[in-house]
Amino acid sequence: MDRFIIRGGRRLEGEIVIGGAKNAGLKLMVAGLLTADRLILSNVPKIADIETMQTLLRQHGIAVDPVDAEGRTLSIGGPITSVEAPYDIVSKMRASILVLGPLLARAREARVSLPGGCAIGTRPVDLHLKGLETLGATIRLENGYINASAPNGLVGDRILLPFASVGATENLLMAATLAKGRTEIVNAAREPEIGDLVECLNRMGARIAGAGTGTLVIDGVEALTGAEHAIMADRIECGTYACAAGITGGDLRLIGGRVRDLGAVVRTLEEAGVEVLEEENAIRVRRTGALRGVDIMTEPYPGFPTDMQAQFMAMLAVADGASMVTETIFENRFMHVPELNRMGARINVHGSSAIIRGVGHLSGAPVMATDLRASFSLILAGLGAQGETSLSRIYHLDRGYEAVDRKLSAVGADIERLSDDR
Ligand code: UD1
């Protein structure tokens, strides 16, 4: 297993290119299930979750072929030869559940393993299933699998989501593109990745209105066609490197980053004393004064994203004054706290809130990654700390961040990837 060795205390300065968004790319690949034609996706990030999605699509019979030498453009499509998403893939990556709606819409049946819980919470899929039932699917849960069928096709209807779930919105949205008649998804999630998915689906011939508004209206069509689409820049990767500038007192130009996608993150950075400037096709982030404590509550977009919570906590650990971070999306997303405390942070968790009392500095230590975003919070802590941090279990990080050591070294960080097998 690989680990990172980080020698902290260096100010980061320079440019980092932000890659294609993991959370958009995965769904856009799944959209390839909706057509027999070819969907050409560019700006595909080189991360493990994208590889897992390729494996899943291929086992449904869908061809996934690299168009360029680097595999940053993929051609996806073909006949569906298997409607089963097996346990070994779904348990590795929860986003696999998103094949359910498209399989049901195009092949009229699906057998998808139940994902089960994960490190950050129980994460049920009841809203996905209820919504598909509203569209006329019959669903049986058996032997750990979701067996879904709609022999005469799905039929449009009004779906009211009690919570604006990102995954449920996407699953239902994709299913509804091929349903008979009109579907309305009320209290739909408004995350920018959903806007990117809608843009691509409409290019494929879908008729979807209302992206970003909370109500999606989908008029079903007979069939979708191929299309070309470039995956949007990853707003969470962008926000993460903004925190790297923040904790090191640095000055970074994040190429491809967009202020409008970052929602509440920009305001929170500024409140914490980190300057954010919009430039052409980039965001410049720098800190010249002290970091200040801020209060944060995670919320669906455009609120503060839960996927940025751990990274901010690392930064706030060394801010002047106290901060309170309240997590409202996932019930168990503070696993980075004991690791940050081992590096000298003063953080207490009370239920769904964490109180952070800023300390003068963190000190390097051996720490362990527990999930994707928590892994990066420990890298940030290591970058800002005095001394050496060794971060193990970085396979979590490889799922969603590309070339972390290369990107950070290029802007002045002292970070090295070591293989324990060496
Ligand atoms: C997506 C993102 C993830 C992000 C999250 C919230 C992907 C691949 N993942 O996850 O990075 O942290 O949005 O922004 O895009 N819930 C239910 N029933 C359901 C569905 C969800 O109770 O049927 C609950 C979940 O347990 C969780 C909350 O709703 O507590 C949010 O989940 P959801 O918005 O669906 O997140 P994901 O799509 O899983």
Side-chain angles (χ1 to χ4, degrees), residues 40-57:
I40 313 286
L41 292 180
S42 55
N43 201 27
V44 178
K46 296 280 222 185
I47 52 176
D49 273 10
I50 293 284
E51 278 170 34
T52 305
M53 186 55 86
Q54 295 191 30
T55 309
L56 179 60
L57 291 180

mmCIF file of all heavy atoms in Angstrom, residues 40-57:
data_model
loop_
_atom_site.group_PDB
_atom_site.id
_atom_site.type_symbol
_atom_site.label_atom_id
_atom_site.label_comp_id
_atom_site.label_asym_id
_atom_site.label_seq_id
_atom_site.Cartn_x
_atom_site.Cartn_y
_atom_site.Cartn_z
ATOM 1 N N ILE A 40 -19.489 10.534 -26.585
ATOM 2 C CA ILE A 40 -18.055 10.849 -26.504
ATOM 3 C C ILE A 40 -17.854 11.854 -25.371
ATOM 4 O O ILE A 40 -18.331 12.990 -25.443
ATOM 5 C CB ILE A 40 -17.531 11.483 -27.826
ATOM 6 C CG1 ILE A 40 -18.009 10.700 -29.055
ATOM 7 C CG2 ILE A 40 -16.018 11.642 -27.801
ATOM 8 C CD1 ILE A 40 -17.337 9.382 -29.298
ATOM 9 N N LEU A 41 -17.143 11.426 -24.337
ATOM 10 C CA LEU A 41 -16.897 12.304 -23.183
ATOM 11 C C LEU A 41 -15.439 12.714 -23.146
ATOM 12 O O LEU A 41 -14.549 11.847 -23.173
ATOM 13 C CB LEU A 41 -17.228 11.572 -21.882
ATOM 14 C CG LEU A 41 -18.695 11.247 -21.606
ATOM 15 C CD1 LEU A 41 -18.815 10.513 -20.273
ATOM 16 C CD2 LEU A 41 -19.535 12.529 -21.583
ATOM 17 N N SER A 42 -15.196 14.017 -23.053
ATOM 18 C CA SER A 42 -13.809 14.479 -22.910
ATOM 19 C C SER A 42 -13.608 15.099 -21.525
ATOM 20 O O SER A 42 -14.566 15.256 -20.773
ATOM 21 C CB SER A 42 -13.470 15.486 -24.019
ATOM 22 O OG SER A 42 -14.398 16.543 -24.011
ATOM 23 N N ASN A 43 -12.345 15.433 -21.216
ATOM 24 C CA ASN A 43 -11.949 15.941 -19.889
ATOM 25 C C ASN A 43 -12.241 14.907 -18.790
ATOM 26 O O ASN A 43 -12.657 15.254 -17.689
ATOM 27 C CB ASN A 43 -12.653 17.275 -19.581
ATOM 28 C CG ASN A 43 -11.924 18.071 -18.502
ATOM 29 O OD1 ASN A 43 -10.706 17.911 -18.341
ATOM 30 N ND2 ASN A 43 -12.648 18.884 -17.758
ATOM 31 N N VAL A 44 -12.004 13.633 -19.112
ATOM 32 C CA VAL A 44 -12.247 12.546 -18.146
ATOM 33 C C VAL A 44 -11.069 12.499 -17.162
ATOM 34 O O VAL A 44 -9.915 12.415 -17.598
ATOM 35 C CB VAL A 44 -12.358 11.191 -18.882
ATOM 36 C CG1 VAL A 44 -12.562 10.053 -17.886
ATOM 37 C CG2 VAL A 44 -13.483 11.227 -19.911
ATOM 38 N N PRO A 45 -11.323 12.583 -15.856
ATOM 39 C CA PRO A 45 -10.201 12.537 -14.907
ATOM 40 C C PRO A 45 -9.627 11.126 -14.780
ATOM 41 O O PRO A 45 -10.344 10.148 -14.949
ATOM 42 C CB PRO A 45 -10.844 12.984 -13.587
ATOM 43 C CG PRO A 45 -12.295 12.640 -13.721
ATOM 44 C CD PRO A 45 -12.621 12.734 -15.187
ATOM 45 N N LYS A 46 -8.316 11.061 -14.469
ATOM 46 C CA LYS A 46 -7.644 9.764 -14.287
ATOM 47 C C LYS A 46 -7.707 9.400 -12.815
ATOM 48 O O LYS A 46 -6.780 9.686 -12.051
ATOM 49 C CB LYS A 46 -6.179 9.887 -14.699
ATOM 50 C CG LYS A 46 -5.974 10.188 -16.147
ATOM 51 C CD LYS A 46 -6.121 8.935 -16.918
ATOM 52 C CE LYS A 46 -5.127 8.744 -17.996
ATOM 53 N NZ LYS A 46 -5.452 7.542 -18.760
ATOM 54 N N ILE A 47 -8.803 8.823 -12.401
ATOM 55 C CA ILE A 47 -8.990 8.460 -10.992
ATOM 56 C C ILE A 47 -9.603 7.061 -10.925
ATOM 57 O O ILE A 47 -10.195 6.591 -11.902
ATOM 58 C CB ILE A 47 -9.899 9.490 -10.260
ATOM 59 C CG1 ILE A 47 -11.209 9.701 -11.029
ATOM 60 C CG2 ILE A 47 -9.174 10.805 -10.054
ATOM 61 C CD1 ILE A 47 -12.198 10.615 -10.342
ATOM 62 N N ALA A 48 -9.480 6.435 -9.762
ATOM 63 C CA ALA A 48 -9.889 5.027 -9.651
ATOM 64 C C ALA A 48 -11.397 4.839 -9.851
ATOM 65 O O ALA A 48 -11.830 3.849 -10.438
ATOM 66 C CB ALA A 48 -9.450 4.487 -8.290
ATOM 67 N N ASP A 49 -12.227 5.788 -9.363
ATOM 68 C CA ASP A 49 -13.679 5.615 -9.505
ATOM 69 C C ASP A 49 -14.108 5.573 -10.977
ATOM 70 O O ASP A 49 -15.048 4.873 -11.329
ATOM 71 C CB ASP A 49 -14.438 6.734 -8.768
ATOM 72 C CG ASP A 49 -14.667 6.392 -7.294
ATOM 73 O OD1 ASP A 49 -14.069 5.398 -6.824
ATOM 74 O OD2 ASP A 49 -15.430 7.101 -6.621
ATOM 75 N N ILE A 50 -13.428 6.318 -11.814
ATOM 76 C CA ILE A 50 -13.758 6.314 -13.252
ATOM 77 C C ILE A 50 -13.413 4.938 -13.841
ATOM 78 O O ILE A 50 -14.151 4.394 -14.659
ATOM 79 C CB ILE A 50 -12.995 7.451 -13.984
ATOM 80 C CG1 ILE A 50 -13.521 8.825 -13.521
ATOM 81 C CG2 ILE A 50 -13.062 7.292 -15.506
ATOM 82 C CD1 ILE A 50 -14.868 9.272 -14.074
ATOM 83 N N GLU A 51 -12.310 4.347 -13.378
ATOM 84 C CA GLU A 51 -11.956 2.997 -13.845
ATOM 85 C C GLU A 51 -12.994 1.983 -13.393
ATOM 86 O O GLU A 51 -13.382 1.085 -14.140
ATOM 87 C CB GLU A 51 -10.579 2.601 -13.322
ATOM 88 C CG GLU A 51 -9.477 3.179 -14.183
ATOM 89 C CD GLU A 51 -8.108 3.005 -13.557
ATOM 90 O OE1 GLU A 51 -7.887 1.979 -12.880
ATOM 91 O OE2 GLU A 51 -7.280 3.918 -13.745
ATOM 92 N N THR A 52 -13.463 2.135 -12.144
ATOM 93 C CA THR A 52 -14.490 1.209 -11.636
ATOM 94 C C THR A 52 -15.758 1.336 -12.482
ATOM 95 O O THR A 52 -16.401 0.335 -12.804
ATOM 96 C CB THR A 52 -14.789 1.518 -10.148
ATOM 97 O OG1 THR A 52 -13.558 1.481 -9.427
ATOM 98 C CG2 THR A 52 -15.754 0.514 -9.545
ATOM 99 N N MET A 53 -16.119 2.563 -12.841
ATOM 100 C CA MET A 53 -17.316 2.757 -13.667
ATOM 101 C C MET A 53 -17.131 2.128 -15.052
ATOM 102 O O MET A 53 -18.078 1.554 -15.605
ATOM 103 C CB MET A 53 -17.644 4.250 -13.768
ATOM 104 C CG MET A 53 -18.946 4.548 -14.478
ATOM 105 S SD MET A 53 -20.388 3.677 -13.760
ATOM 106 C CE MET A 53 -20.869 4.796 -12.447
ATOM 107 N N GLN A 54 -15.920 2.185 -15.570
ATOM 108 C CA GLN A 54 -15.662 1.533 -16.866
ATOM 109 C C GLN A 54 -15.890 0.028 -16.744
ATOM 110 O O GLN A 54 -16.514 -0.591 -17.602
ATOM 111 C CB GLN A 54 -14.216 1.776 -17.319
ATOM 112 C CG GLN A 54 -13.912 3.220 -17.610
ATOM 113 C CD GLN A 54 -12.560 3.394 -18.320
ATOM 114 O OE1 GLN A 54 -12.121 2.531 -19.047
ATOM 115 N NE2 GLN A 54 -11.925 4.523 -18.101
ATOM 116 N N THR A 55 -15.404 -0.546 -15.669
ATOM 117 C CA THR A 55 -15.574 -1.994 -15.437
ATOM 118 C C THR A 55 -17.053 -2.335 -15.367
ATOM 119 O O THR A 55 -17.508 -3.319 -15.953
ATOM 120 C CB THR A 55 -14.886 -2.395 -14.108
ATOM 121 O OG1 THR A 55 -13.567 -1.905 -14.133
ATOM 122 C CG2 THR A 55 -14.896 -3.896 -13.892
ATOM 123 N N LEU A 56 -17.816 -1.495 -14.654
ATOM 124 C CA LEU A 56 -19.248 -1.766 -14.497
ATOM 125 C C LEU A 56 -19.963 -1.686 -15.853
ATOM 126 O O LEU A 56 -20.733 -2.576 -16.220
ATOM 127 C CB LEU A 56 -19.855 -0.771 -13.497
ATOM 128 C CG LEU A 56 -21.358 -0.900 -13.242
ATOM 129 C CD1 LEU A 56 -21.700 -2.285 -12.688
ATOM 130 C CD2 LEU A 56 -21.846 0.163 -12.266
ATOM 131 N N LEU A 57 -19.689 -0.631 -16.599
ATOM 132 C CA LEU A 57 -20.360 -0.474 -17.897
ATOM 133 C C LEU A 57 -20.008 -1.626 -18.837
ATOM 134 O O LEU A 57 -20.867 -2.160 -19.533
ATOM 135 C CB LEU A 57 -19.982 0.869 -18.545
ATOM 136 C CG LEU A 57 -20.536 2.121 -17.858
ATOM 137 C CD1 LEU A 57 -20.085 3.378 -18.592
ATOM 138 C CD2 LEU A 57 -22.072 2.094 -17.782
#
